[in-house]
PDB file of all heavy atoms in Angstrom:
ATOM      1  N   TRP A  85      78.857-100.336 -63.626  1.00 98.00           N
ATOM      2  CA  TRP A  85      77.729-101.031 -64.243  1.00 98.00           C
ATOM      3  C   TRP A  85      77.819-101.053 -65.767  1.00 98.00           C
ATOM      4  O   TRP A  85      77.174-101.873 -66.421  1.00 98.00           O
ATOM      5  CB  TRP A  85      76.408-100.388 -63.809  1.00 98.00           C
ATOM      6  CG  TRP A  85      76.057-100.688 -62.383  1.00 98.00           C
ATOM      7  CD1 TRP A  85      76.306 -99.903 -61.296  1.00 98.00           C
ATOM      8  CD2 TRP A  85      75.418-101.863 -61.880  1.00 98.00           C
ATOM      9  NE1 TRP A  85      75.848-100.515 -60.149  1.00 98.00           N
ATOM     10  CE2 TRP A  85      75.300-101.704 -60.478  1.00 98.00           C
ATOM     11  CE3 TRP A  85      74.914-103.022 -62.489  1.00 98.00           C
ATOM     12  CZ2 TRP A  85      74.711-102.686 -59.673  1.00 98.00           C
ATOM     13  CZ3 TRP A  85      74.323-103.987 -61.684  1.00 98.00           C
ATOM     14  CH2 TRP A  85      74.226-103.811 -60.296  1.00 98.00           C
ATOM     15  N   TRP A  86      78.596-100.125 -66.355  1.00 98.00           N
ATOM     16  CA  TRP A  86      78.802-100.204 -67.809  1.00 98.00           C
ATOM     17  C   TRP A  86      80.254-100.533 -68.162  1.00 98.00           C
ATOM     18  O   TRP A  86      80.518-101.260 -69.125  1.00 98.00           O
ATOM     19  CB  TRP A  86      78.350 -98.925 -68.510  1.00 98.00           C
ATOM     20  CG  TRP A  86      79.055 -97.643 -68.137  1.00 98.00           C
ATOM     21  CD1 TRP A  86      80.291 -97.230 -68.562  1.00 98.00           C
ATOM     22  CD2 TRP A  86      78.563 -96.592 -67.290  1.00 98.00           C
ATOM     23  NE1 TRP A  86      80.601 -96.001 -68.034  1.00 98.00           N
ATOM     24  CE2 TRP A  86      79.558 -95.570 -67.265  1.00 98.00           C
ATOM     25  CE3 TRP A  86      77.387 -96.394 -66.585  1.00 98.00           C
ATOM     26  CZ2 TRP A  86      79.403 -94.392 -66.531  1.00 98.00           C
ATOM     27  CZ3 TRP A  86      77.239 -95.227 -65.867  1.00 98.00           C
ATOM     28  CH2 TRP A  86      78.230 -94.235 -65.840  1.00 98.00           C
ATOM     29  N   MET A  87      81.201-100.036 -67.400  1.00 97.00           N
ATOM     30  CA  MET A  87      82.611-100.263 -67.732  1.00 97.00           C
ATOM     31  C   MET A  87      82.990-101.741 -67.649  1.00 97.00           C
ATOM     32  O   MET A  87      83.827-102.216 -68.434  1.00 97.00           O
ATOM     33  CB  MET A  87      83.495 -99.433 -66.798  1.00 97.00           C
ATOM     34  CG  MET A  87      83.379 -97.927 -67.015  1.00 97.00           C
ATOM     35  SD  MET A  87      84.358 -96.963 -65.843  1.00 97.00           S
ATOM     36  CE  MET A  87      86.012 -97.501 -66.274  1.00 97.00           C
ATOM     37  N   THR A  88      82.369-102.485 -66.740  1.00 96.00           N
ATOM     38  CA  THR A  88      82.663-103.907 -66.590  1.00 96.00           C
ATOM     39  C   THR A  88      82.438-104.668 -67.885  1.00 96.00           C
ATOM     40  O   THR A  88      83.135-105.635 -68.183  1.00 96.00           O
ATOM     41  CB  THR A  88      81.793-104.510 -65.472  1.00 96.00           C
ATOM     42  OG1 THR A  88      82.060-103.826 -64.242  1.00 96.00           O
ATOM     43  CG2 THR A  88      82.067-106.003 -65.301  1.00 96.00           C
ATOM     44  N   PHE A  89      81.488-104.228 -68.673  1.00 96.00           N
ATOM     45  CA  PHE A  89      81.138-104.924 -69.910  1.00 96.00           C
ATOM     46  C   PHE A  89      81.701-104.240 -71.151  1.00 96.00           C
ATOM     47  O   PHE A  89      81.308-104.566 -72.278  1.00 96.00           O
ATOM     48  CB  PHE A  89      79.612-105.042 -70.011  1.00 96.00           C
ATOM     49  CG  PHE A  89      78.985-105.610 -68.780  1.00 96.00           C
ATOM     50  CD1 PHE A  89      78.182-104.827 -67.968  1.00 96.00           C
ATOM     51  CD2 PHE A  89      79.234-106.917 -68.393  1.00 96.00           C
ATOM     52  CE1 PHE A  89      77.614-105.344 -66.818  1.00 96.00           C
ATOM     53  CE2 PHE A  89      78.684-107.442 -67.231  1.00 96.00           C
ATOM     54  CZ  PHE A  89      77.872-106.657 -66.441  1.00 96.00           C
ATOM     55  N   GLY A  90      82.606-103.300 -70.964  1.00 96.00           N
ATOM     56  CA  GLY A  90      83.254-102.653 -72.097  1.00 96.00           C
ATOM     57  C   GLY A  90      82.478-101.534 -72.728  1.00 96.00           C
ATOM     58  O   GLY A  90      82.704-101.197 -73.891  1.00 96.00           O
ATOM     59  N   PHE A  91      81.564-100.906 -71.986  1.00 97.00           N
ATOM     60  CA  PHE A  91      80.763 -99.802 -72.523  1.00 97.00           C
ATOM     61  C   PHE A  91      81.258 -98.470 -71.964  1.00 97.00           C
ATOM     62  O   PHE A  91      81.949 -98.421 -70.934  1.00 97.00           O
ATOM     63  CB  PHE A  91      79.287 -99.988 -72.158  1.00 97.00           C
ATOM     64  CG  PHE A  91      78.576-101.028 -72.967  1.00 97.00           C
ATOM     65  CD1 PHE A  91      78.726-102.376 -72.682  1.00 97.00           C
ATOM     66  CD2 PHE A  91      77.761-100.660 -74.029  1.00 97.00           C
ATOM     67  CE1 PHE A  91      78.063-103.345 -73.432  1.00 97.00           C
ATOM     68  CE2 PHE A  91      77.107-101.615 -74.786  1.00 97.00           C
ATOM     69  CZ  PHE A  91      77.253-102.975 -74.487  1.00 97.00           C
ATOM     70  N   GLU A  92      80.896 -97.423 -72.643  1.00 98.00           N
ATOM     71  CA  GLU A  92      81.109 -96.065 -72.139  1.00 98.00           C
ATOM     72  C   GLU A  92      79.806 -95.299 -72.215  1.00 98.00           C
ATOM     73  O   GLU A  92      78.959 -95.545 -73.081  1.00 98.00           O
ATOM     74  CB  GLU A  92      82.190 -95.338 -72.948  1.00 98.00           C
ATOM     75  CG  GLU A  92      81.833 -95.089 -74.408  1.00 98.00           C
ATOM     76  CD  GLU A  92      82.885 -94.265 -75.132  1.00 98.00           C
ATOM     77  OE1 GLU A  92      83.708 -93.648 -74.444  1.00 98.00           O
ATOM     78  OE2 GLU A  92      82.849 -94.240 -76.377  1.00 98.00           O
ATOM     79  N   LEU A  93      79.624 -94.372 -71.301  1.00 98.00           N
ATOM     80  CA  LEU A  93      78.446 -93.520 -71.292  1.00 98.00           C
ATOM     81  C   LEU A  93      78.678 -92.357 -72.237  1.00 98.00           C
ATOM     82  O   LEU A  93      79.654 -91.620 -72.108  1.00 98.00           O
ATOM     83  CB  LEU A  93      78.194 -92.998 -69.873  1.00 98.00           C
ATOM     84  CG  LEU A  93      77.067 -91.973 -69.705  1.00 98.00           C
ATOM     85  CD1 LEU A  93      75.714 -92.606 -69.961  1.00 98.00           C
ATOM     86  CD2 LEU A  93      77.120 -91.365 -68.297  1.00 98.00           C
ATOM     87  N   ILE A  94      77.773 -92.176 -73.211  1.00 97.00           N
ATOM     88  CA  ILE A  94      77.960 -91.075 -74.158  1.00 97.00           C
ATOM     89  C   ILE A  94      76.880 -90.001 -74.034  1.00 97.00           C
ATOM     90  O   ILE A  94      77.046 -88.906 -74.558  1.00 97.00           O
ATOM     91  CB  ILE A  94      78.031 -91.572 -75.622  1.00 97.00           C
ATOM     92  CG1 ILE A  94      76.730 -92.233 -76.057  1.00 97.00           C
ATOM     93  CG2 ILE A  94      79.205 -92.529 -75.797  1.00 97.00           C
ATOM     94  CD1 ILE A  94      76.689 -92.532 -77.555  1.00 97.00           C
ATOM     95  N   ASN A  95      75.773 -90.315 -73.336  1.00 97.00           N
ATOM     96  CA  ASN A  95      74.727 -89.298 -73.208  1.00 97.00           C
ATOM     97  C   ASN A  95      73.740 -89.707 -72.124  1.00 97.00           C
ATOM     98  O   ASN A  95      73.515 -90.900 -71.898  1.00 97.00           O
ATOM     99  CB  ASN A  95      73.961 -89.131 -74.527  1.00 97.00           C
ATOM    100  CG  ASN A  95      73.056 -87.918 -74.546  1.00 97.00           C
ATOM    101  OD1 ASN A  95      73.287 -86.948 -73.818  1.00 97.00           O
ATOM    102  ND2 ASN A  95      72.012 -87.954 -75.355  1.00 97.00           N
ATOM    103  N   THR A  96      73.188 -88.738 -71.435  1.00 97.00           N
ATOM    104  CA  THR A  96      72.079 -88.987 -70.511  1.00 97.00           C
ATOM    105  C   THR A  96      70.842 -88.284 -71.047  1.00 97.00           C
ATOM    106  O   THR A  96      70.931 -87.270 -71.741  1.00 97.00           O
ATOM    107  CB  THR A  96      72.401 -88.470 -69.098  1.00 97.00           C
ATOM    108  OG1 THR A  96      72.723 -87.083 -69.149  1.00 97.00           O
ATOM    109  CG2 THR A  96      73.543 -89.257 -68.465  1.00 97.00           C
ATOM    110  N   ILE A  97      69.681 -88.842 -70.715  1.00 97.00           N
ATOM    111  CA  ILE A  97      68.401 -88.284 -71.148  1.00 97.00           C
ATOM    112  C   ILE A  97      67.698 -87.768 -69.891  1.00 97.00           C
ATOM    113  O   ILE A  97      67.430 -88.531 -68.963  1.00 97.00           O
ATOM    114  CB  ILE A  97      67.556 -89.334 -71.879  1.00 97.00           C
ATOM    115  CG1 ILE A  97      68.366 -89.938 -73.046  1.00 97.00           C
ATOM    116  CG2 ILE A  97      66.269 -88.735 -72.389  1.00 97.00           C
ATOM    117  CD1 ILE A  97      67.664 -91.081 -73.762  1.00 97.00           C
ATOM    118  N   VAL A  98      67.401 -86.476 -69.869  1.00 94.00           N
ATOM    119  CA  VAL A  98      66.979 -85.797 -68.646  1.00 94.00           C
ATOM    120  C   VAL A  98      65.538 -85.322 -68.775  1.00 94.00           C
ATOM    121  O   VAL A  98      65.143 -84.753 -69.802  1.00 94.00           O
ATOM    122  CB  VAL A  98      67.914 -84.612 -68.334  1.00 94.00           C
ATOM    123  CG1 VAL A  98      67.443 -83.844 -67.112  1.00 94.00           C
ATOM    124  CG2 VAL A  98      69.348 -85.120 -68.134  1.00 94.00           C
ATOM    125  N   ASP A  99      64.765 -85.539 -67.741  1.00 89.00           N
ATOM    126  CA  ASP A  99      63.376 -85.098 -67.687  1.00 89.00           C
ATOM    127  C   ASP A  99      63.353 -83.568 -67.552  1.00 89.00           C
ATOM    128  O   ASP A  99      63.999 -83.004 -66.664  1.00 89.00           O
ATOM    129  CB  ASP A  99      62.680 -85.748 -66.498  1.00 89.00           C
ATOM    130  CG  ASP A  99      61.175 -85.513 -66.499  1.00 89.00           C
ATOM    131  OD1 ASP A  99      60.751 -84.353 -66.409  1.00 89.00           O
ATOM    132  OD2 ASP A  99      60.423 -86.507 -66.575  1.00 89.00           O
TER     133      ASP A  99
END
Side-chain angles (χ1 to χ4, degrees):
W85 288 96
W86 62 78
M87 292 176 64
T88 301
F89 309 112
F91 284 79
E92 65 175 344
L93 174 68
I94 63 171
N95 191 25
T96 56
I97 305 175
V98 177
D99 189 298

